[in-house]
Structure formats: C-alpha cells, structure tokens
Amino acid sequence: MAKRETVRVAERVKTLPPYLFARIDQLRNEARRKGVDVIDLGVGDPDEPTPAPIVAAMQRAAADPANHKYPAYEGSFAFRKSCADYLKKRLGAALDPASEILALIGSKEGIGHLPLAFVDPGDLVLVPDPGYPVYAIATRFCGGEPHFMPLRAENGFMPDLSRVPAKAWNRAKILWLNYPNNPTGARATREFFLEAIRLCAKYGVLLAHDAAYFEIYAGRERPLSILELPGGREVGVEFYSFSKTFNMTGWRIGFAAGQAAAINALGRVKNNLDSGAFTAVQQATVAGNARLAALIGPIRRLYAGRRKETVKAMQRAGFDVFDAGATFYIWTRTPAGSTSAEFAMRALAKAGVVVTPGTGFGPSGEGYFRVALCAPQARILEGVRRLAAVRG
Ligand SMILES: Cc1ncc(COP(=O)(O)O)c(C=O)c1O
C-alpha cells in the first residue's frame, strides 16, 4: 500500500506559481554566494532609510505601554483622521475617518483580502496584465477567475475597457486598476478613470484602485485619484501605502479609503483574520503625515533625479524605454531576439544585474523588463553600463 502523506496541502497552494520576487531573490543570493558583485535593480524596495522624524516618533511610541496591547481593528481614530486629513490636503476630498477609511498592515494585506469580501466561486475579477501579481492570485484563492486586460504601449498602458465583453462585465465583481502603474510607470488620464467609473456604476462592479505609488512622480503634476472624480467615491475604494511614500516598506502600514459599504465589508473580513497594525507604527505614520511636504519632497526629487539620469543612460545605450515620469520603475523593451526571461537571466548570469522580466507580471509583459531605481545613482548607472554590454 502506498504510504499516506502526513500533510496534504490544498490545490490552491499546489498550483501556486512561485512568488516572482522570492525566486529572483534566490537567484540573486546564489550569485552573491559565488562572489558576484550583484547590482539589484529588481525589487522595488527603497534603499534610503525612513525619515528621522518618523523613526523618532516610533521610538517614543514603542516605549509607551498603552501601545503594547492589541490595536483597534480598523486602526486608531487618530490614524484614520490623519489619513482623511492627508486626502483632504492632497485631493480636496473630504472622507469620513469612521466609515470611509480603514488601516491596513501594508496595502498588500488589504489588496489580498479584498476578494474575500466580494468574490464568490465562479465570479470574475478584471485584472491588468501586466500587473501586480496579488490581484490575480488573491482572486483565485477565493475560487474566482481573473479576466486579464492587456496593457499596451499604444494605449499608454491603460486597458481598453471597451474590449471587455459585456458578459465579463456582468460576471465581474471587482475591476483592479493601478496608477501610477507597476510595472510600466504609466499614469492614468482623467478620461480613462471617468470611463472606468461609468462602467463600474453601470455593471455594479467595485472599482479597486491601487494607489501605492501615488506620491512617487517627477514634475509638478501629481497623479489622479478616483476619489477626486465625480462618481468615484460611490463605486470605488483606493489603496494607499506608506511603504514608498516614506521609505517604510518594512513597517507594514497603509490604508484603504472610499465607498463605505466596501470599507465595511473589507473590515469585517479583516476582523476575522488579523488584529490590526501595531499602534506605535500608526502613531509614527501620523507624525510623518504631519510633515508630509517636508518629508516627501526630498524622496520625490531623489527618484526624479535617478529617473532622468537612468533614462538618458539607457537611451544612449540603445534601449527603448517608456517614461511617463511616475513610480520608481523604468519599463524597457528587451533587445530584439530576446524574450523577457532570456534577457533577465542573461543580465544576471553575464552582467551580475538583477532586472525583473516583464512576463513575471503576466503574459502581456513579454518583450519588456523592469528596472527599479532603488539603488544609489552610481550603482544604477554601472548596472546600465553592464546591461548595455549584454544587449546582444
Ligand atoms: C502595485 C503595488 N501595489 C501594492 C504594493 C504593496 O505595498 P505595501 O504592502 O508595502 O503597501 C506594491 C509593492 O510593491 C505594489 O507594487
């Protein structure tokens, strides 16, 4: 008789593709163990520290025994009020901290849990391709089916919503959008967002907008939010993250804002799965929000400078780059004759440079790779020189 396995994991885990960045980390670490001087332009994790006033506020908050207890599930009122004040200042939109804002343990947590609040087995979720992998995976965890919407250069990397069939709209529960966009760096236009809002209202679909890179852009013109557009708050929820805004990826803090019934549904899922974000981290973030302009200015300028220099160097080296001036990514065509995976593997094996293959974000990422500007400028430029040498 065949030996019975002692643990039998679920199909959803067995069929899970390896988490892209975990696999890339593994290859990078292997190269480093072999002594290669690896330049990591792969994962989007800021290389600069969290600003000092936030760290100082954290030190104080961590020492306060009142913060050693379970946090409030939905986030402290002070934190939610600070997020509402932030939205008022940035968008001019007045949201109710009690019913329209929810603290998240990083925006990934909220993005991952949202389908549990909306998706039943057999439902569709409209997902951008290429896109942040969590939208599709979390949909599948709930028995839902992602309906992929290709992002193409000729449409400025915005999905052509008119090509989503009415049948798909009728079965859909959530439309995921993400601008400024990972991985392409694209910004959405007002017309595009208005069309998304109109279609979501027509078909009763939740518009979930991932605004994790809202504060990371070059130039004066900030990206748009659905919460500032007519009808946006009636159909939509927006996911904000302090990870990139304040170089706080390790702290795990973000928030969701928008349609009260959706915020309530997500909050009810979370109440049953987690117990909220560490109150001290929330207090430190409030301190950051209070100094928003002073803290974000240098961070934004740093990436804008790196972007300008890197785009110039890549173009000089003959790379075809897409530059809409937002996020800290540069979406680039792979050299003719190389697939995304081939070029990324060649870059690591022959040049010691980690880049992310476009197909890691979905099949429509074929023919592209992503460069993250999360290393000192000199290292990025050295990385570009090495990439140029293996263009082939
Ligand atoms: C598009 C996008 N959304 C959300 C996140 C999650 O960010 P966090 O959980 O750190 O807030 C990331 C992280 O890289 C991202 O790229």
Side-chain angles (χ1 to χ4, degrees):
M1 209 171 81
K3 195 164 165 247
R4 192 151 189 254
E5 288 174 65
T6 46
V7 294
R8 289 169 295 152
V9 299
E11 283 306 312
R12 76 174 69 84
V13 173
K14 279 192 204 154
T15 55
L16 205 52
Y19 193 64
L20 172 70
F21 299 112
R23 175 78 188 124
I24 291 174
D25 279 1
Q26 193 187 0
L27 293 172
R28 180 199 59 200
N29 295 343
E30 276 167 25
R32 281 195 175 138
R33 264 198 303 278
K34 287 184 200 148
V36 178
D37 168 31
V38 175
I39 299 178
D40 190 349
L41 308 180
V43 70
D45 194 351
D47 54 311
E48 292 277 309
T50 307
I54 299 178
V55 175
M58 181 66 189
Q59 284 166 333
R60 286 191 299 275
D64 181 352
N67 293 338
H68 299 170
K69 295 178 169 300
Y70 281 118
Y73 285 103
E74 63 282 1
S76 71
F77 189 77
F79 174 78
R80 286 176 292 147
K81 168 85 168 50
S82 157
C83 296
D85 291 347
Y86 163 85
L87 294 174
K88 182 89 182 92
K89 192 162 16 163
R90 296 297 278 136
L91 315 175
L95 278 87
D96 172 20
S99 63
E100 294 179 300
I101 308 259
L102 180 67
L104 300 173
I105 311 169
S107 67
K108 183 181 190 179
E109 177 266 300
I111 292 166
H113 283 147
L114 187 73
L116 280 174
F118 283 90
V119 176
D120 289 314
D123 287 345
L124 283 193
V125 173
L126 307 176
V127 171
D129 163 28
Y132 185 53
V134 183
Y135 313 137
I137 298 281
T139 298
R140 292 201 173 105
F141 277 174
C142 298
E145 201 184 307
H147 175 99
F148 290 103
M149 307 175 294
L151 307 187
R152 300 197 197 288
E154 60 268 28
N155 296 327
F157 296 107
M158 287 172 275
D160 183 348
L161 297 176
S162 70
R163 294 189 74 116
V164 176
K167 249 190 354 210
W169 277 110
N170 281 322
R171 271 180 65 200
K173 287 289 191 64
I174 300 174
L175 165 65
W176 275 110
L177 297 176
N178 163 221
Y179 294 96
N181 183 255
N182 176 16
T184 68
R187 296 165 180 245
T189 60
R190 185 182 165 88
E191 295 66 39
F192 170 76
F193 271 151
L194 287 173
E195 181 63 359
I197 291 168
R198 185 185 73 76
L199 287 164
C200 284
K202 175 174 170 186
Y203 289 102
V205 170
L206 176 71
L207 173 47
H209 181 228
D210 176 356
Y213 296 90
F214 187 72
E215 292 294 350
I216 310 299
Y217 58 93
R220 287 185 180 282
E221 202 180 327
R222 73 157 166 79
L224 290 169
S225 155
I226 59 165
L227 302 178
E228 65 185 324
L229 297 177
R233 280 166 67 183
E234 282 73 56
V235 297
V237 174
E238 208 149 50
F239 290 82
Y240 285 86
S241 168
F242 292 103
S243 288
K244 322 290 157 113
T245 305
F246 292 139
N247 300 332
M248 289 174 78
T249 48
W251 300 52
R252 314 310 304 133
I253 188 78
F255 68 97
Q259 219 254 8
I263 291 288
N264 180 267
L266 177 58
R268 285 170 62 195
V269 167
K270 279 172 53 59
N271 290 351
N272 286 282
L273 292 175
D274 68 60
S275 297
F278 185 17
T279 311
V281 171
Q282 297 182 48
Q283 284 180 6
T285 308
V286 169
N289 275 342
R291 296 166 182 77
L292 179 71
L295 299 184
I296 188 67
I299 292 173
R300 216 181 269 141
R301 281 194 293 278
L302 177 80
Y303 291 125
R306 286 180 182 174
R307 168 173 293 281
K308 192 163 157 222
E309 290 303 307
T310 309
V311 164
K312 235 180 0 192
M314 291 187 79
Q315 286 174 334
R316 234 185 282 127
F319 286 108
D320 182 4
V321 306
F322 173 76
D323 181 21
T327 72
F328 43 51
Y329 302 118
I330 299 179
W331 191 236
T332 308
R333 280 198 192 276
T334 51
S338 297
T339 65
S340 295
E342 281 163 3
F343 184 70
M345 287 303 160
R346 188 157 86 236
L348 183 55
K350 299 248 160 59
V353 179
V354 180
V355 297
T356 310
T359 41
F361 301 97
S364 298
E366 184 53 274
Y368 290 91
F369 66 96
R370 190 193 75 175
V371 165
L373 300 170
C374 296
Q377 181 75 83
R379 289 291 279 172
I380 299 175
L381 293 178
E382 167 62 15
V384 172
R385 270 192 294 279
R386 292 195 205 170
L387 288 177
V390 297
R391 274 195 72 214

